[in-house]
Amino acid sequence: MASGNQIPCGPCSFDDVTKDAGRWCANCEEGLCEECEKSHRKSKTSRNHKVISIEDYRKIENVPISQVCDHHGETLEWFCKSHDEVLCVVCVPSKHKACSEVTPIKDYTASSRQSTALTELEETIEETLCNVKHCVNNRDSAIKKIEKQEIAVKTMVIETRKKINGQLDKLQEKLLHELRSSSASCKLKYTKILQKLKSTEEMLTKLRQQTLSMKQFSSDIQVFLGTRQVNKRIASEIESIKSEISVTKDYTLKISIQSLIEKLSNEVEEFGRITVSESATNLDLTDQNIGKAQIEINVPTSRNISDIRLQLIRSFEMKSEHNVYVSYCVILPNGNLLMASHTSDKYLFEYSNTGEHIRDIRVSGPPYDIAVIDLDRIVVTYGSASYLEIMNYKTFIVEKTIKLENSCVAVSHENGRLYVVIGYDTIQVVDLSGMKQNMFKVASHSVTTIRDKIFYTDYRNHKIHCCHLNGEEVWQFKCDSIKFPDGITVDNYNHVYVVGHTSNNLTVIQHDGKDSKTLLTESDGLNCPKSVDFDSDKKTLLVCNPDGNVSLYKVV
């Protein structure tokens, strides 16, 4: 279906004439201008087609209805009642040749609006919607409960830390008091002997002066008597000093840290451990027309890559007054195309899926990679910059900036976590608040994720890797035809699409990494391609060259 502000007239566009459509043919799935509508109604093959106003078309524009066979790309024209399947002209002889109840779809369409199947579908939607709302309320309550538990656990951690700090403060003060007491005792003993020695020093100094004076000025008898008396006094003082020194000790202050304190600082590696216990919920998604259904993720049954083909929907050249170097691209939830241009001009470029330029968005740095988070938000990396930004893709207002230790190159989102290639040698896992979850040391250039798998390219070694979310490798793939693999994406069947930057090709790799098939080459317009993105809802594939050549394909 068409998208954008204006709907072009399909027949006029075929003749390279640009005209706005005033009406829409639901059978042909294209717009019609006034003149083409008249011709459309005159033609015998299309006079009975359902033609509606553009206003009515807008109401069903995003209703996912395809009239083309997913396997063969042909129009769905037949219905097998035995297998309850719609078929194209290729399906009938290949898989339903022996079926006796294969009839044209038109035999059923006339009464389809009044059919029991449509009534039951409407009832089923209403009932399921009611049940889903109940489940949403239940899960909202569960989130609030978890938030309360988080606060309770956080409070316990903080209170425990306060108790530990308080006890350590008491023990520290007790120990320091003991230290001060021991130090004072040692210094007191040193002071006593020091005072004795200084007293002796003063006495000897005085005796020396007296002896000199006696020698010069006293009579012979006085010198004789004085010498003997001073000798006795000195001998007595020396004995006294020897006695004091013999019992004098040297002291050394040391500490022996209590073993539990040692363990706390050296051996204890965790403050505690957060455990998450699981229990079955009482959720039950039921429907009165279906019986009993369960909420689950359905992984499509495997499809052989030999059956995969690409149908070109549209190809166009990006036009901008700013420098263009498309490093990565993404298909937005609204169907528009968003390209990151890794230049100093710092712009993202938004186009409709019909190739119409919508706007240029200036960002904080040269954007490198983009990934969709949900129906409202995207995440953008900036190559050599060590941060990424989460922003609303409708307003491009930055809601969160997450800083990491190294250059943030590629990024992918899965289940509330961002998988960021940093420094080309690490995949860092963070949640949407910026909290680090895990880290894998792997040579990586581009990354994508789906459900329980991570896929990334090893640019220099020409390899593509698949691993579990915990980093455990599942398989790796290398072939001579893929040179310097760059952009990577994955479809609903876990088949991997990767562009070869210097080999100028697009290759699909089987989900188990055992086979591959080249889908596009240089002859299809690939020129040093860097980016590719798969839309799982519309089953479309976006491929971009750095020079701004953009191609959108239908995967059939």
Side-chain angles (χ1 to χ4, degrees):
M1 289 189 177
S3 180
N5 296 325
Q6 300 294 330
I7 305 296
C9 174
C12 289
S13 297
F14 183 79
D15 292 331
D16 294 327
V17 176
T18 302
K19 251 186 178 181
D20 292 341
R23 306 280 285 174
W24 178 268
C25 177
N27 297 78
C28 298
E29 289 193 306
E30 65 179 1
L32 300 170
C33 66
E34 187 176 352
E35 292 180 7
C36 290
E37 183 192 1
K38 292 178 181 178
S39 302
H40 197 73
R41 292 192 180 281
K42 289 178 183 178
S43 174
K44 185 177 181 180
T45 58
S46 58
R47 65 178 58 152
N48 294 321
H49 285 188
K50 185 173 181 62
V51 178
I52 60 178
S53 68
I54 293 298
E55 290 73 19
D56 289 339
Y57 161 70
R58 291 294 190 190
K59 298 174 183 177
I60 63 167
E61 181 178 8
N62 295 315
V63 178
I65 300 174
S66 174
Q67 299 184 41
V68 178
C69 176
D70 288 340
H71 299 291
H72 306 109
E74 302 291 341
T75 304
L76 296 169
E77 298 176 336
W78 299 86
F79 179 72
C80 177
K81 193 173 181 180
S82 303
H83 294 92
D84 191 31
E85 290 184 18
V86 286
L87 315 169
C88 71
V89 292
V90 181
C91 295
V92 175
S94 63
K95 294 183 179 180
H96 297 266
K97 191 175 182 180
C99 298
S100 59
E101 295 185 289
V102 177
T103 53
I105 285 180
K106 63 182 180 180
D107 293 349
Y108 296 90
T109 57
S111 59
S112 60
R113 297 179 194 278
Q114 293 80 34
S115 67
T116 304
L118 182 57
T119 302
E120 290 181 350
L121 173 62
E122 291 173 330
E123 292 175 354
T124 298
I125 291 174
E126 287 299 324
E127 180 69 19
T128 305
L129 183 59
C130 180
N131 287 331
V132 168
K133 286 181 178 178
H134 169 71
C135 292
V136 168
N137 292 335
N138 182 285
R139 293 300 87 190
D140 281 340
S141 297
I143 288 173
K144 291 177 182 177
K145 186 177 179 181
I146 283 291
E147 288 173 347
K148 289 181 180 179
Q149 291 171 353
E150 179 187 359
I151 292 172
V153 171
K154 184 177 179 180
T155 301
M156 182 181 292
V157 170
I158 293 172
E159 289 300 322
T160 303
R161 175 65 181 271
K162 285 181 179 178
K163 289 179 181 178
I164 293 173
N165 287 347
Q167 181 65 13
L168 288 175
D169 287 343
K170 290 178 182 178
L171 294 176
Q172 175 183 299
E173 184 54 37
K174 181 182 177 182
L175 185 62
L176 293 179
H177 177 74
E178 183 181 346
L179 174 62
R180 289 192 295 270
S181 177
S182 298
S183 176
S185 176
C186 292
K187 287 190 289 185
L188 180 61
K189 293 175 182 178
Y190 285 159
T191 301
K192 286 179 69 177
I193 185 65
L194 187 60
Q195 289 174 344
K196 173 65 177 175
L197 290 171
K198 285 185 176 181
S199 175
T200 302
E201 181 183 18
E202 290 175 2
M203 183 198 74
L204 290 174
T205 302
K206 187 176 180 181
L207 287 176
R208 181 179 61 182
Q209 185 61 42
Q210 289 175 349
T211 301
L212 288 174
S213 297
M214 178 183 71
K215 182 179 179 181
Q216 291 178 356
F217 306 111
S218 296
S219 64
D220 290 344
I221 190 168
Q222 286 176 326
V223 170
F224 175 77
L225 293 174
T227 301
R228 291 177 60 81
Q229 291 170 5
V230 170
N231 273 333
K232 286 182 180 180
R233 188 173 178 184
I234 290 175
S236 174
E237 192 64 30
I238 289 173
E239 287 300 321
S240 176
I241 291 173
K242 283 183 177 180
S243 176
E244 290 285 347
I245 290 176
S246 66
V247 295
T248 298
K249 305 290 184 184
D250 280 333
Y251 304 101
T252 303
L253 288 175
K254 293 183 179 180
I255 184 171
S256 176
I257 300 295
Q258 216 277 345
S259 61
L260 292 178
I261 303 296
E262 287 276 4
K263 288 183 178 179
L264 179 63
S265 60
N266 298 327
E267 298 181 24
V268 177
E269 296 180 351
E270 295 177 337
F271 193 93
R273 182 165 294 181
I274 304 299
T275 59
V276 179
S277 60
E278 297 180 359
S279 61
T281 68
N282 59 356
L283 293 179
D284 186 19
L285 187 68
T286 60
D287 183 89
Q288 55 185 330
N289 295 319
I290 298 177
K292 186 177 182 180
Q294 295 179 336
I295 300 176
E296 58 182 7
I297 299 174
N298 293 317
V299 180
T301 54
S302 180
R303 178 188 181 189
N304 197 302
I305 61 171
S306 61
D307 297 330
I308 295 177
R309 292 187 299 111
L310 299 182
Q311 288 182 344
L312 180 64
I313 299 173
R314 190 171 301 274
S315 182
F316 62 90
E317 294 286 339
M318 293 170 55
K319 303 295 182 183
S320 176
E321 62 185 15
H322 308 293
N323 292 325
V324 174
Y325 183 84
V326 180
S327 51
Y328 283 97
C329 61
V330 71
I331 303 174
L332 295 172
N334 63 4
N336 289 345
L337 316 177
L338 190 65
M339 276 68 75
S341 181
H342 194 57
T343 71
S344 58
D345 287 349
K346 306 176 184 178
Y347 277 93
L348 297 170
F349 300 108
E350 186 177 4
Y351 284 76
S352 72
N353 58 12
T354 59
E356 296 168 344
H357 176 259
I358 297 176
R359 54 181 164 171
D360 297 350
I361 305 100
R362 187 168 175 82
V363 289
S364 63
Y368 194 81
D369 194 12
I370 321 164
V372 173
I373 294 176
D374 52 33
L375 295 177
D376 298 309
R377 296 177 297 171
I378 60 172
V379 58
V380 180
T381 65
Y382 295 94
S384 59
S386 57
Y387 70 93
L388 49 85
E389 292 177 333
I390 296 174
M391 60 182 70
N392 185 300
Y393 83 84
K394 297 170 185 174
T395 63
F396 290 94
I397 294 174
V398 175
E399 297 180 354
K400 177 75 176 177
T401 299
I402 297 175
K403 295 183 179 180
L404 296 174
E405 290 78 12
N406 208 334
S407 56
C408 300
V409 187
V411 63
S412 183
H413 171 266
E414 188 66 30
N415 195 28
R417 288 180 171 84
L418 299 176
Y419 296 79
V420 190
V421 173
I422 58 174
Y424 295 104
D425 62 358
T426 302
I427 296 179
Q428 177 74 65
V429 187
V430 298
D431 63 19
L432 298 181
S433 69
M435 185 72 69
K436 295 176 183 177
Q437 303 289 317
N438 207 344
M439 184 175 68
F440 317 123
K441 279 287 185 181
V442 289
S444 45
H445 193 82
S446 181
V447 63
T448 189
T449 51
I450 184 171
R451 290 184 288 272
D452 61 343
K453 297 289 193 305
I454 305 172
F455 303 88
Y456 63 92
T457 57
D458 181 352
Y459 186 81
R460 298 188 182 279
N461 295 309
H462 316 289
K463 292 181 180 180
I464 298 90
H465 296 260
C466 169
C467 64
H468 293 296
L469 295 183
N470 61 2
E472 179 184 357
E473 187 160 272
V474 178
W475 53 259
Q476 61 174 258
F477 181 88
K478 182 178 182 179
C479 70
D480 294 336
S481 64
I482 304 176
K483 299 297 183 184
F484 297 99
D486 202 333
I488 187 171
T489 190
V490 61
D491 67 13
N492 299 337
Y493 301 92
N494 281 13
H495 297 322
V496 181
Y497 299 77
V498 61
V499 290
H501 185 56
T502 60
S503 52
N504 295 322
N505 55 6
L506 171 72
T507 303
V508 58
I509 303 169
Q510 196 163 284
H511 63 87
D512 56 7
K514 294 182 179 179
D515 198 8
S516 67
K517 176 184 177 180
T518 301
L519 297 176
L520 298 173
T521 63
E522 191 171 359
S523 63
D524 298 302
L526 267 62
N527 181 18
C528 300
K530 283 186 65 63
S531 53
V532 60
D533 187 49
F534 179 80
D535 186 330
S536 59
D537 293 327
K538 297 181 177 62
K539 295 182 176 60
T540 53
L541 194 73
L542 177 63
V543 184
C544 294
N545 291 333
D547 61 6
N549 180 271
V550 180
S551 298
L552 187 64
Y553 296 88
K554 179 73 175 178
V555 179
V556 296

